[in-house]
């Protein structure tokens, strides 16, 4: 997820024995405006993401985040 957009829609699929999923990602400054992370682009620390069910997470010092125990399906979250 780049900072140009403040909403992401994610489709999650569980494995054959799983009923929960994990969302992983990075919030970064898209310096070359290509819509994807390129090595050397800086991550944004301390950004709060809010999942559509109200679960929140903060990015770490590199802009990375993960949310565990998510119900599989189409989900949305926003940068706060």
């Amino acid at each position: 997820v780049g900072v140009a957009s403040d909403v992401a829609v994610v489709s999650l699929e569980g494995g054959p024995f799983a009923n929960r999923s994990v969302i992983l990602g990075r919030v970064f400054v898209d310096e070359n405006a290509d819509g994807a992370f390129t090595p050397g682009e800086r991550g944004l620390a301390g950004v709060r993401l809010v999942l559509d069910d109200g679960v929140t997470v903060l990015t770490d010092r590199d802009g990375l985040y993960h949310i565990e125990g998510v119900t599989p399906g189409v989900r949305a979250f926003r940068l706060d």
Side-chain angles (χ1 to χ4, degrees):
V1 176
V3 295
S5 173
D6 63 355
V7 175
V9 176
V10 180
S11 179
L12 304 174
E13 297 179 15
F17 305 106
N19 61 3
R20 298 290 178 177
S21 296
V22 176
I23 298 174
L24 305 167
R26 177 186 317 241
V27 178
F28 61 94
V29 177
D30 190 9
E31 294 171 359
N32 60 4
D34 67 352
F37 177 75
T38 303
E41 291 179 325
R42 63 186 169 90
L44 295 175
V47 176
R48 188 170 87 138
L49 294 101
V50 182
L51 195 59
D52 54 11
D53 63 1
V55 171
T56 63
V57 65
L58 290 176
T59 58
D60 69 10
R61 67 181 179 170
D62 297 316
L64 300 172
Y65 64 89
H66 73 277
I67 304 171
E68 298 179 7
V70 179
T71 303
V74 176
R75 306 297 301 268
F77 62 89
R78 65 181 167 85
L79 302 177
D80 191 22

